[in-house]
Amino acid sequence: MLNWEQVFASRSTRMRASEIRELLKLLDRPDIISFAGGIPDPALFPREAFEAAMADIFAGSDAQASLQYSVSEGYLPLREWLAGEMEKIGIACTVDNVFITSGSQQALDYLGKLMLSPGDTALVGWPTYLGALQAFNAYEPHYDQLIPAGNRTPESYREGATAKGGAVKFAYLSADFANPTGETIGREGREQVLALAEELDIAVIEDAAYQALRYDGEPVPPILALEIAAKGSIEQARTIYCGSFSKTLAPGLRVGFVVAATPVIAKLVLMKQAADLHSPSLNQMAIEHVATRHFEAQVDTIRNAYRSRRDAMLGALARHMPPGATWGTPQGGMFVWVTLPEGIDGAALLVRSIETERVAFVPGQAFFADRSGANTIRLSFSCADEAVIGEGIARLGRLVANALPLAA
Amino acid sequence: MLNWEQVFASRSTRMRASEIRELLKLLDRPDIISFAGGIPDPALFPREAFEAAMADIFAGSDAQASLQYSVSEGYLPLREWLAGEMEKIGIACTVDNVFITSGSQQALDYLGKLMLSPGDTALVGWPTYLGALQAFNAYEPHYDQLIPAGNRTPESYREGATAKGGAVKFAYLSADFANPTGETIGREGREQVLALAEELDIAVIEDAAYQALRYDGEPVPPILALEIAAKGSIEQARTIYCGSFSKTLAPGLRVGFVVAATPVIAKLVLMKQAADLHSPSLNQMAIEHVATRHFEAQVDTIRNAYRSRRDAMLGALARHMPPGATWGTPQGGMFVWVTLPEGIDGAALLVRSIETERVAFVPGQAFFADRSGANTIRLSFSCADEAVIGEGIARLGRLVANALPLAA
């Protein structure tokens, strides 16, 4: 029998099971109130719109094309629609700047593959999106902390990367209602990231997965929009914008996109040709069909639903959390990030929570590339109704209050 | 402006445009008889079956699930159906040995990613499937020739790989009606590959994309079936079987699969989780819906259509090709591989063919990792009717006959 380890590449040692996903398998029980998932509420999917899209596609002249191979860059009418949407948020571009991926997760994988040689450094938040770390890990990078609490000079990043045998290649961040923190980076913060990237002469990966889900407050221009405004053209921009239909229309079709300067798009197209040829033709057509007819109304529906749930969660946290716990106030997205009183371990709390209170959430540590953040947890409000949220947070508050002596 | 080359990884230098795909862009003209594409005839797609599948899914209790995130290993009922199909061809396995990919191209990408460190060696045919070379190239391997004309000892493969700074990791081959040659490897040849893999203690990647498309002759057991028969269990097997619905049901849904020992499947699942989360939920459900109801009838339909076209092409070649040209007699698949009289360059012939005869095909050189095979061309019979095939081959025969003085 073959000893598989011997034929596996070194990168495979960094392919490990996501703690969160392993955890979620245990939580799929009806008696548990779950704030753990980071998924959209399926009751809000535009099911009739997709049903109509499929019926139209199969009845129309595109039926054969929907089932046939297609081009690696993606379905042209969808790319055209996206270029128009980008224009609305300050990202002037053409279809040649738009590339369709199988979800924005694929964009992160491809961008890691495109830029990271083993030993290179990626700048990420502490914490950051776990899926980004997983995607990048396959290419064996080191991580350094983007926008740290203390002051960091560009030189210190460069020296750190050199000491580890590589170079800083990009900064990755989600600027709007990030997973897991729910935080939004203001205009000044975005400009600081751009300035740092300019100093280091690296790319910026802007993960805009949640950008459309703003519930209040003023929209901040995307990092790519700020850069285009400063430089005059997307072709001059170092920011690579990754978007998704997973949070707005439906994740199960796996359609996302990248908007960037054409040298990046050209490489991504070649990479996709070699890696999976193209995203499913039918899915791109269906997304285009639904997006062109229903996108704004659908986003309004989702925003209204999630806004109420966020409000319910913030209200319940204020009522039930003991002193010492703090949390953010997200202006959008799906998550509230809670910092527990010092000394309470999120993972230990989860075990007790499942046993005694039947409430699930995600311990925050997995989101930290340096494995700090033990006293943080991520709560998602996207999939529970207001009454359930109130009950779940009441139980969680009781649990944290009871855990406080442990922490002292 | 960022100098992108400076942030691109070294692997990106091997991401180049496929000559074939670049070429095909020029050939999409109605006045050209094309034997160039390697794609299924869209007129044969089971369009009504997919239309019914979509209607059923959206009207049923799985509608929300079809639009939601799902597990990385793939849709369980589809994996169950596949395990049953595998049993029929001698591959006894459970659902735990079956992993769903976005087309079998993705399986090749993932297997390269799983096994190839830069400098490692992959054994491939001279020629071999161009898409496999493209998928593997991203992981910076060297290639050595599998089953060469002369004798090769296992030691010579090992020494060759060591000299290049890596190890031999796997042998890749398509044993049935391969792209581009149309050749089938007999049982003895398959056993030789297994014996070599055993000697070298490497994996075997069996690309079975065309396996269902046999038009005559006796089926040869898949390499994985031979290995299971010899060793008693798929868990003892080093062969990784890659299948696809692209040639049988429809490529546009991008559904393929891998069947292998569980240590391989476990790594592939982790890899997919990090790379694109999962293949589209809806597509897997639709494929399962159509496959469970129509697979055999659909494969019969395709076989009958393609058999006639193959026969038309073989007959026309016999009538019209000048002495000195030789070609294979494929028992299935989509391709006839022609060796031109010595000295006639396939690429030069294509340029002339487009200009004077309006017939397209693919020059064979791109399929050779060592860039030999200049006097070969690949003809596909999958997308033209018999009369058009006769006319196209007549023109091609005239062209080759006229090129002969050039070759002399």
Side-chain angles (χ1 to χ4, degrees):
Chain A
M1 183 182 162
L2 178 56
N3 173 10
W4 287 103
E5 294 300 329
Q6 152 202 318
V7 292
F8 289 165
S10 67
R11 72 177 70 82
S12 79
T13 61
R14 290 183 64 170
M15 295 165 186
R16 286 189 295 262
S18 152
E19 299 162 53
I20 293 183
R21 283 178 174 258
E22 294 305 303
L23 206 67
L24 290 180
K25 287 183 183 172
L26 307 173
L27 303 184
D28 204 14
R29 289 181 294 195
D31 64 327
I32 286 191
I33 296 177
S34 181
F35 304 131
I39 63 178
D41 184 348
L44 298 172
F45 291 153
R47 168 179 166 169
E48 285 83 12
F50 278 111
E51 191 170 8
M54 292 299 173
D56 280 2
I57 291 167
F58 282 109
S61 59
D62 280 343
Q64 288 187 354
S66 78
L67 297 171
Q68 184 59 291
Y69 287 114
S70 58
V71 295
S72 301
E73 43 269 57
Y75 181 53
L76 185 60
L78 179 58
R79 291 161 62 222
E80 287 169 342
W81 182 81
L82 281 166
E85 289 296 299
M86 290 298 105
E87 185 94 41
K88 293 182 194 167
I89 55 172
I91 298 173
C93 65
T94 76
V95 290
D96 294 329
N97 301 110
V98 182
F99 167 69
I100 305 296
T101 61
S102 294
S104 66
Q105 186 69 29
Q106 185 172 68
L108 300 180
D109 175 51
Y110 283 11
L111 291 170
K113 191 174 181 178
L114 178 59
M115 294 192 270
L116 295 171
S117 287
D120 279 342
T121 290
L123 308 187
V124 299
W126 263 215
T128 192
Y129 170 50
L130 176 61
L133 297 179
Q134 290 182 304
F136 302 153
N137 279 346
Y139 308 105
E140 301 173 90
H142 300 284
Y143 296 104
D144 201 347
Q145 189 179 5
L146 180 66
I147 329 176
N151 275 332
R152 285 283 298 272
T153 62
E155 203 44 53
S156 78
Y157 284 110
R158 224 181 262 121
E159 282 167 6
T162 306
K164 287 169 183 157
V168 186
K169 290 300 186 70
F170 59 76
Y172 164 82
L173 75 163
S174 181
D176 294 278
F177 338 120
N179 179 358
T181 63
E183 269 174 31
T184 297
I185 298 174
R187 187 177 179 126
E188 196 186 347
R190 295 176 195 216
E191 282 169 347
Q192 280 168 6
V193 169
L194 274 175
L196 176 65
E198 203 76 35
E199 281 283 349
L200 292 171
D201 207 14
I202 59 172
V204 174
I205 301 177
E206 177 173 26
D207 183 342
Y210 299 91
Q211 201 166 68
L213 302 188
R214 175 174 283 279
Y215 312 136
D216 41 39
E218 274 303 300
V220 188
I223 299 174
L224 178 53
L226 293 172
E227 197 181 7
I228 292 172
K231 295 182 176 168
S233 159
I234 192 170
E235 293 304 325
Q236 303 299 314
R238 60 181 69 244
T239 303
I240 302 166
Y241 179 100
C242 303
S244 174
F245 290 99
S246 293
K247 317 302 188 222
T248 50
L249 298 185
L253 273 73
R254 312 302 306 124
V255 180
F257 53 95
V258 173
V259 181
T262 50
V264 174
I265 300 296
K267 280 289 186 189
L268 293 175
V269 170
L270 290 176
M271 199 178 292
K272 193 161 178 68
Q273 201 177 94
D276 68 4
L277 302 185
H278 60 85
S279 290
S281 316
L282 177 65
N283 301 33
Q284 297 182 66
M285 288 181 182
I287 288 281
E288 191 267 347
H289 189 287
V290 174
T292 52
R293 287 162 179 79
H294 307 291
F295 191 77
E296 283 189 37
Q298 173 62 17
V299 170
D300 275 348
T301 300
I302 294 172
R303 278 187 189 134
N304 289 333
Y306 290 170
R307 183 189 293 112
S308 299
R309 294 172 194 179
R310 177 204 60 175
D311 292 344
M313 185 169 277
L314 292 174
L317 284 165
R319 284 195 301 280
H320 299 295
M321 274 288 157
T326 58
W327 55 91
T329 303
Q331 292 185 308
M334 297 182 172
F335 305 108
V336 176
W337 181 248
V338 178
T339 303
L340 301 168
E342 198 60 46
I344 300 185
D345 182 88
L349 191 75
L350 176 63
V351 172
R352 189 183 292 187
S353 180
I354 297 294
E355 279 170 10
T356 64
E357 299 290 352
R358 321 298 285 163
V359 174
F361 51 83
V362 177
Q365 195 168 37
F367 301 98
F368 288 80
D370 70 342
R371 309 295 296 167
S372 61
N375 67 324
T376 57
I377 62 175
R378 189 193 74 178
L379 303 176
S380 169
F381 51 79
S382 58
C383 281
D385 73 23
E386 288 79 351
V388 172
I389 288 173
E391 171 62 22
I393 296 296
R395 294 188 200 172
L396 189 63
R398 189 164 63 203
L399 187 78
V400 173
N402 289 335
L404 274 177
L406 281 184
Chain B
M1 183 184 163
L2 178 56
N3 173 9
W4 287 102
E5 294 300 328
Q6 152 202 320
V7 292
F8 289 165
S10 67
R11 72 177 70 82
S12 79
T13 59
R14 290 183 64 169
M15 295 167 187
R16 287 189 295 261
S18 153
E19 298 162 53
I20 293 183
R21 281 177 176 260
E22 293 306 302
L23 206 68
L24 290 180
K25 287 182 183 170
L26 306 174
L27 303 184
D28 204 14
R29 289 181 294 197
D31 64 328
I32 287 193
I33 296 178
S34 181
F35 304 130
I39 63 177
D41 184 348
L44 299 171
F45 291 153
R47 168 181 166 168
E48 286 83 13
F50 278 111
E51 190 169 9
M54 291 299 173
D56 281 2
I57 291 167
F58 282 109
S61 59
D62 280 343
Q64 287 187 356
S66 78
L67 297 171
Q68 184 59 290
Y69 287 114
S70 58
V71 295
S72 301
E73 43 269 58
Y75 180 53
L76 185 60
L78 179 58
R79 291 161 62 222
E80 286 169 343
W81 182 82
L82 281 166
E85 289 296 297
M86 290 297 106
E87 186 93 42
K88 293 182 194 167
I89 55 171
I91 297 174
C93 65
T94 75
V95 289
D96 294 329
N97 301 110
V98 182
F99 167 69
I100 305 297
T101 60
S102 295
S104 66
Q105 186 69 30
Q106 184 173 68
L108 301 180
D109 175 50
Y110 283 12
L111 291 170
K113 191 174 182 179
L114 177 60
M115 293 192 269
L116 295 171
S117 286
D120 279 341
T121 290
L123 308 186
V124 299
W126 263 214
T128 193
Y129 170 49
L130 175 61
L133 296 179
Q134 291 182 304
F136 301 153
N137 279 346
Y139 308 104
E140 301 171 270
H142 301 285
Y143 297 104
D144 201 348
Q145 189 179 4
L146 181 66
I147 331 175
N151 275 331
R152 283 285 298 272
T153 61
E155 204 43 54
S156 78
Y157 284 110
R158 223 181 263 121
E159 282 167 7
T162 306
K164 286 171 184 156
V168 186
K169 290 300 185 71
F170 59 76
Y172 164 82
L173 74 165
S174 182
D176 293 279
F177 337 121
N179 179 359
T181 63
E183 269 175 31
T184 297
I185 298 174
R187 186 178 179 126
E188 195 186 345
R190 295 176 194 216
E191 283 168 347
Q192 280 168 5
V193 169
L194 273 176
L196 176 66
E198 202 77 34
E199 283 282 349
L200 292 171
D201 206 13
I202 59 171
V204 175
I205 301 177
E206 176 173 25
D207 184 341
Y210 299 92
Q211 201 166 68
L213 302 188
R214 175 174 283 280
Y215 311 137
D216 41 38
E218 274 303 300
V220 188
I223 299 174
L224 178 53
L226 292 173
E227 197 182 8
I228 292 172
K231 294 182 177 168
S233 160
I234 192 171
E235 293 304 325
Q236 303 298 315
R238 62 182 67 245
T239 303
I240 302 166
Y241 179 100
C242 302
S244 174
F245 290 98
S246 293
K247 317 302 186 221
T248 51
L249 297 186
L253 273 73
R254 310 303 306 124
V255 181
F257 53 95
V258 173
V259 181
T262 50
V264 174
I265 300 296
K267 279 290 186 189
L268 293 175
V269 170
L270 290 176
M271 198 178 292
K272 193 162 178 68
Q273 201 177 94
D276 69 4
L277 302 184
H278 60 85
S279 290
S281 316
L282 177 65
N283 301 35
Q284 297 183 66
M285 289 180 182
I287 288 281
E288 191 267 347
H289 190 287
V290 174
T292 53
R293 287 162 179 79
H294 307 290
F295 191 78
E296 283 190 37
Q298 174 62 16
V299 170
D300 275 350
T301 300
I302 293 172
R303 279 187 188 134
N304 290 332
Y306 292 170
R307 183 189 294 111
S308 299
R309 294 172 194 178
R310 177 204 60 175
D311 292 344
M313 185 169 278
L314 292 174
L317 284 165
R319 284 195 301 280
H320 299 296
M321 273 289 156
T326 59
W327 54 91
T329 303
Q331 293 185 307
M334 298 181 171
F335 306 107
V336 177
W337 182 248
V338 178
T339 303
L340 301 168
E342 200 59 47
I344 300 185
D345 182 88
L349 191 75
L350 176 62
V351 172
R352 189 182 294 186
S353 180
I354 297 294
E355 277 170 10
T356 65
E357 299 289 353
R358 321 299 284 163
V359 174
F361 51 83
V362 177
Q365 195 168 37
F367 300 99
F368 288 80
D370 69 342
R371 310 294 298 166
S372 61
N375 67 324
T376 58
I377 63 174
R378 188 193 74 177
L379 304 176
S380 169
F381 51 79
S382 58
C383 282
D385 73 23
E386 288 80 351
V388 172
I389 288 173
E391 170 61 22
I393 296 296
R395 294 188 201 172
L396 189 62
R398 189 165 63 204
L399 187 78
V400 174
N402 289 337
L404 274 176
L406 281 184

